[in-house]
Amino acid sequence: MANMSLNKVAMPEQDPNIRNKNFEEVALGYGIEQAIEEATRCLQCKHKPCVGGCPVNVPIPEFIKQVAEGNLEEAYQIITSENSLPAICGRVCPQESQCEGVCVRGIKGEAVGIGRLERFVADYHIQNVETVVPEIQKNGIKVAVVGAGPAGLSCAGDLAKRGYDVTIFEALHDLGGVLIYGIPEFRLPKKLVATEVDNIAKMGVTINKNVVVGRSITIEELFEEDYKAVFVGSGAGLPKFLGIEGENLNGVYSANEFLTRVNLMKAYNQDQSPTPIRVGDNVAVVGGGNVAMDAARTALRLGAKEVSIVYRRSEDELPARREEVHHAKEEGVVFRLLNNPIKVIGNEAGWVTGMECVKMELGEPDASGRRSPIEMPNSNYILDVNTVIMAIGQSPNPLIRQTTPGLDVR
Amino acid sequence: MYKILKKEALNQTVELIEVEAPFVAKKCEPGQFIILRVNEVGERVPLTIADYDREKGSVTIIYQVVGYSTKLLSEMKVGDFINDFVGPLGQPANLKKHNRVLGIGGGVGAAPLYPQLRKLKEMGTQVDVVLGGRSAEYVILGKEFEDICDNVYYATNDGSLGITGFVTDVLNSQLEKGVEYDEVIAIGPLIMMKAVVNITKPINLPTAVSLNPIMIDGTGMCGGCRVTVGGKTRFACVDGPDFDGFEVDFDECMRRQGMYKEEEKDHACRIGL
Ligand SMILES: Cc1cc2nc3c(=O)[nH]c(=O)nc-3n(C[C@H](O)[C@H](O)[C@H](O)COP(=O)(O)OP(=O)(O)OC[C@H]3O[C@@H](n4cnc5c(N)ncnc54)[C@H](O)[C@@H]3O)c2cc1C
Ligand code: FES
């Protein structure tokens, strides 16, 4: 008989007032007993809605069954039959809108903690089991993968398992894409990313860092070098700005720049990193997604006294994972919802001194059913800030499109 | 890892190294740059490509020892390895065959200017150059320019080489003499490029400048290198580094360049400069 508790087994976390001053991981993960207890909440539904909700079709009930029985390595093997990056996905996938969003237990009470269990299984494996690479029958076919983000790494791992001769080309000096430059240490320890990358390398994938495809070598040239297929996983790395006055003042960052300095270049540890970062006492982060939450929480940890999220819609529309919003609030991030920046204000020397905002209200639903925000007349005010971080989204880097004739992009 | 094949001091603070980097050497063009990290915890340092040898698979860069990372680089010897070296980055300079072009190189700016002028010369353009610096020892690559240019002029603040004054004094006197240039390519400190444009813009003499704002990734991912050109925000690492000098907001560039002055001072202290 399944465990009918309506709530997930709680996952231990660092205290909000301690963790908002350090870069250690916030969520500490289940122990064996907690994991088994949570696993017994799974009803082992025959129609497996969770698998349909998972973008890579992990056999979820099957792995959870193994956890419930204490067979953790079996559980790991089941997960990795479909997912090369379980320690990462268990931590950062938006489960509430994927597998857990369609979990039958979620109809009344909380869904099964699928992400937490996946994380537990992967961590247990990393800590206790030496990964052995199964004998792979090579087929001798060369495939190139552009970009070592989660997409490229997964693709490389899956193809290597099937015997392809895979080479990854990555522009940066480190592997992981957003996992390494964007998502902060306190949410996804970089050591884990390195371990997952190692596991992929162990399968015989060749990794070339510091190669910008489109510049160092083009896709056409890859085909000339006898690659039979090229997978482009170059991500959506081009930061957007609002296009408002004052955005190029000193002290305005894109979230990518801010997070890259802190994560990839390790500026959070100024004793060891020569890359500088500067965060003022009062910080505004514009946007409401995961990136905005990460930037806001990072700014707090770097010593900012007040950090606000400035978002033009309301709480219900915040695109971030729910857990991140919850964590950010706990840590003391101020949410200025239904507020829209219209101008960044600076001093003579070109440094930010404030941001003019206008208050918004939600109008009638538009064609897509979303209620779009409209400005409230005469509601302008100046937010007293000296750092502004723009986290309003990214678009694909145009480099490959520009340097690959005949590439059809929609 | 990228091996240092050759190293040379060009003056007290400027050094040249040739690095084995086949991916870069195969494709780079004048105007493009690389980013290197000296060691596994290093900063990403953008440096313009000063020369390249496609056969040998090597790239030459010239840098001024100004702060933490260039000091580290300066401590490396021939045969040592640089941890990371990525490129070519940025757009190749838009070089066209003209009748006559004037290059203006201030300080280390002469290094990125060199491959551009050489290419113009190869295309059959008559090429003059003005090299400037505080004093004779700050003027680099004089001999190399003399080999490829039709006329080489020098300007130093103390008069130890060429005229006493600025590169813009030479520019003015050339223009007064009635020398007709189709284009000016000015590479050097922002203040120098701004001064050049202040002369060339009123007479509508096209002027290309090369910007080197603060960069991190150099692939268009962070926006830290943004500059305003023609009223629009551009990313110097992917849209540049060369831009139409008439359109560049130099004052904004100068403000942004100074963003980490204090932190850099800190670094200097730490390495005991
Ligand atoms: C701060 C932040 C937090 C996020 N949090 C979450 C979260 O909690 N949950 C979630 O589901 N999603 C989250 N996302 C989104 C998620 O990270 C992305 O959907 C995911 O990283 C996309 O993976 P990717 O492999 O396609 O691209 P990326 O991770 O962007 O990787 C692309 C890689 O390709 C390289 N590259 C680019 N161009 C070239 C080229 N021309 N040649 C060679 N290499 C190239 C890049 O350097 C990079 O390493 C977050 C994003 C950010 C920025
Ligand atoms: S250096 Fe990051 S976008 Fe140009």
Side-chain angles (χ1 to χ4, degrees):
Chain A
M1 173 63 199
N3 163 359
M4 292 313 290
S5 161
L6 289 184
N7 297 316
K8 290 179 187 174
V9 174
M11 179 155 65
E13 286 174 352
Q14 273 196 75
D15 182 85
N17 276 316
I18 295 175
R19 71 179 194 236
N20 62 12
K21 296 171 196 71
N22 70 45
F23 278 85
E24 317 272 309
E25 199 171 7
V26 166
L28 304 172
Y30 283 157
I32 290 195
E33 271 128 51
Q34 292 158 316
I36 292 179
E37 190 185 336
E38 181 62 25
T40 56
R41 291 185 63 232
C42 173
L43 300 175
Q44 295 291 319
C45 311
K46 287 281 165 295
H47 67 303
K48 304 176 194 177
C50 50
V51 179
C54 171
V56 294
N57 301 312
V58 168
I60 294 168
E62 287 83 350
F63 100 74
I64 293 184
K65 183 158 187 281
Q66 296 298 332
V67 177
E69 290 168 9
N71 304 325
L72 302 179
E73 182 57 18
E74 280 78 358
Y76 180 79
Q77 295 303 336
I78 292 172
I79 298 175
T80 50
S81 68
E82 297 297 337
N83 182 350
S84 304
L85 308 168
I88 294 164
C89 294
R91 285 171 167 80
V92 301
C93 270
Q95 288 97 6
E96 74 260 23
S97 53
Q98 299 181 0
C99 54
E100 294 182 19
V102 287
C103 173
V104 173
R105 294 298 306 264
I107 298 168
K108 188 162 169 276
E110 287 182 339
V112 174
I114 301 170
R116 295 175 180 192
L117 290 172
E118 180 179 33
R119 165 187 168 146
F120 168 74
V121 169
D123 287 0
Y124 186 88
H125 173 90
I126 289 171
Q127 283 154 19
N128 298 291
V129 186
E130 181 69 32
T131 300
V132 271
V133 187
E135 268 300 304
I136 300 170
Q137 183 75 35
K138 288 271 187 188
N139 66 16
I141 301 173
K142 279 172 68 174
V143 176
V145 170
V146 179
L153 290 172
S154 303
C155 174
D158 286 354
L159 291 178
K161 268 183 225 156
R162 287 166 178 72
Y164 290 89
D165 184 1
V166 185
T167 305
I168 298 182
F169 296 91
E170 166 57 49
L172 293 174
H173 62 258
D174 211 345
L175 306 161
V178 166
L179 309 176
I180 197 100
Y181 77 70
I183 303 184
E185 183 73 16
F186 57 81
R187 200 146 75 78
L188 180 65
K190 301 300 157 251
K191 228 174 54 207
L192 275 177
V193 179
T195 309
E196 302 270 41
V197 170
D198 267 358
N199 287 341
I200 286 168
K202 277 189 195 143
M203 291 193 267
V205 172
T206 307
I207 295 173
N208 282 330
K209 294 187 275 189
N210 296 323
V211 178
V212 184
V213 173
R215 290 253 188 267
S216 316
I217 188 164
T218 61
I219 291 197
E220 273 181 318
E221 287 164 333
L222 286 172
F223 283 118
E224 282 162 22
E225 292 192 8
D226 213 26
Y227 288 96
K228 294 292 178 235
V230 178
F231 174 81
V232 180
S234 54
L238 194 75
K240 289 191 186 146
F241 288 90
L242 285 170
I244 58 175
E245 194 181 327
E247 251 178 332
N248 290 351
L249 287 164
N250 292 0
V252 182
Y253 293 100
S254 74
N256 270 7
E257 178 184 357
F258 185 74
L259 292 169
T260 299
R261 284 178 180 273
V262 179
N263 299 317
L264 180 71
M265 306 313 292
K266 309 207 165 25
Y268 67 86
N269 186 348
Q270 278 289 287
D271 290 340
Q272 275 170 32
S273 170
T275 301
I277 181 84
R278 185 181 281 189
V279 43
D281 282 346
N282 296 305
V283 179
V285 179
V286 180
N290 288 318
V291 184
M293 300 305 139
D294 283 347
R297 297 169 70 197
T298 298
L300 272 183
R301 284 162 172 77
L302 291 171
K305 298 211 171 70
E306 186 180 291
V307 180
S308 323
I309 291 276
V310 178
Y311 181 59
R312 66 197 184 105
R313 298 173 188 263
S314 73
E315 171 123 21
D316 289 339
E317 287 86 17
L318 282 171
R321 293 176 77 216
R322 225 174 300 138
E323 186 181 333
E324 310 312 329
V325 176
H326 169 73
H327 279 152
K329 284 187 178 164
E330 276 186 340
E331 287 169 14
V333 172
V334 180
F335 281 71
R336 295 179 195 276
L337 303 169
L338 290 165
N339 275 279
N340 201 27
I342 51 174
K343 180 178 167 186
V344 186
I345 300 159
N347 61 17
E348 293 267 293
W351 284 90
V352 173
T353 56
M355 185 167 79
E356 186 175 340
C357 299
V358 59
K359 296 215 150 87
M360 311 290 280
E361 59 191 344
L362 289 182
E364 294 302 312
D366 59 16
S368 71
R370 280 229 291 195
R371 296 177 62 191
S372 49
I374 39 183
E375 279 185 17
M376 288 166 68
N378 305 318
S379 63
N380 297 32
Y381 69 100
I382 289 174
L383 188 62
D384 183 15
V385 289
N386 35 26
T387 301
V388 174
I389 302 171
M390 295 293 172
I392 51 166
Q394 285 101 240
S395 49
N397 192 316
L399 183 61
I400 290 185
R401 185 162 35 89
Q402 286 164 358
T403 56
T404 313
L407 186 70
D408 191 7
V409 211
R410 265 168 268 238
Chain B
M1 300 284 268
Y2 306 80
K3 191 170 175 184
I4 301 182
L5 303 174
K6 180 175 145 191
K7 182 168 180 192
E8 203 181 301
L10 297 183
N11 66 34
Q12 273 186 346
T13 61
V14 178
E15 297 174 356
L16 169 157
I17 54 174
E18 186 182 344
V19 181
E20 189 173 63
F23 269 115
V24 187
K26 205 163 128 192
K27 298 209 68 122
C28 63
E29 291 293 334
Q32 292 186 297
F33 66 99
I34 56 98
I35 286 188
L36 62 77
R37 287 201 324 152
V38 181
N39 57 28
E40 69 277 10
V41 294
E43 289 177 279
R44 292 174 66 89
V45 185
L47 294 165
T48 315
I49 295 167
D51 205 352
Y52 49 87
D53 185 331
R54 300 217 201 275
E55 303 261 290
K56 214 165 145 193
S58 70
V59 172
T60 300
I61 49 173
I62 292 176
Y63 54 92
Q64 187 157 26
V65 184
V66 281
Y68 179 78
S69 295
T70 41
K71 179 96 199 308
L72 278 183
L73 190 56
S74 163
E75 285 161 8
M76 304 197 79
K77 299 181 291 292
V78 171
D80 287 352
F81 288 87
I82 295 175
N83 212 76
D84 300 287
F85 195 94
V86 58
L89 301 169
Q91 304 285 348
N94 182 15
L95 301 174
K96 289 188 288 278
K97 180 183 172 333
H98 284 300
N99 280 331
R100 196 165 180 181
V101 165
L102 179 67
I104 302 180
V108 262
L113 183 62
Y114 175 72
Q116 298 204 20
L117 295 194
R118 189 178 59 187
K119 180 141 187 201
L120 280 172
K121 187 72 209 172
E122 283 165 8
M123 291 169 143
T125 304
Q126 184 178 351
V127 179
D128 296 348
V129 71
V130 195
L131 301 176
R134 253 185 290 164
S135 63
E137 68 187 44
Y138 290 97
V139 175
I140 58 168
L141 302 177
K143 164 144 191 344
E144 283 76 1
F145 279 103
E146 283 176 17
D147 287 347
I148 59 158
C149 294
D150 296 276
N151 298 290
V152 180
Y153 307 96
Y154 296 98
T156 50
N157 300 12
D158 62 0
S160 53
L161 182 63
I163 66 148
T164 307
F166 298 110
V167 289
T168 41
D169 295 329
V170 179
L171 169 63
N172 274 325
S173 81
Q174 290 295 94
L175 295 173
E176 274 157 29
K177 274 192 246 163
V179 182
E180 286 194 9
Y181 291 112
D182 303 306
E183 191 184 13
V184 169
I185 303 175
I187 310 184
L190 286 164
I191 190 90
M192 179 205 95
M193 295 189 283
K194 182 180 173 185
V196 168
V197 168
N198 280 343
I199 297 168
T200 56
K201 193 171 175 179
I203 57 167
N204 206 16
L205 168 55
T207 303
V209 299
S210 177
L211 302 179
N212 56 345
I214 293 168
M215 290 188 186
I216 309 177
D217 57 298
T219 65
M221 180 267 276
C222 77
C225 63
R226 59 197 192 278
V227 291
T228 301
V229 181
K232 287 206 187 78
T233 294
R234 312 291 300 273
F235 292 0
C237 71
V238 287
D239 301 322
D242 291 11
F243 289 102
D244 175 356
F246 292 178
E247 303 289 336
V248 172
D249 182 342
F250 288 104
D251 295 330
E252 181 187 274
C253 289
M254 284 186 250
R255 283 197 301 267
R256 290 185 63 80
Q257 190 118 64
M259 205 161 354
Y260 293 101
K261 277 243 170 70
E262 274 169 45
E263 284 82 353
E264 275 156 23
K265 253 191 263 150
D266 251 22
H267 280 315
C269 298
R270 263 196 259 145
I271 55 169
L273 262 180

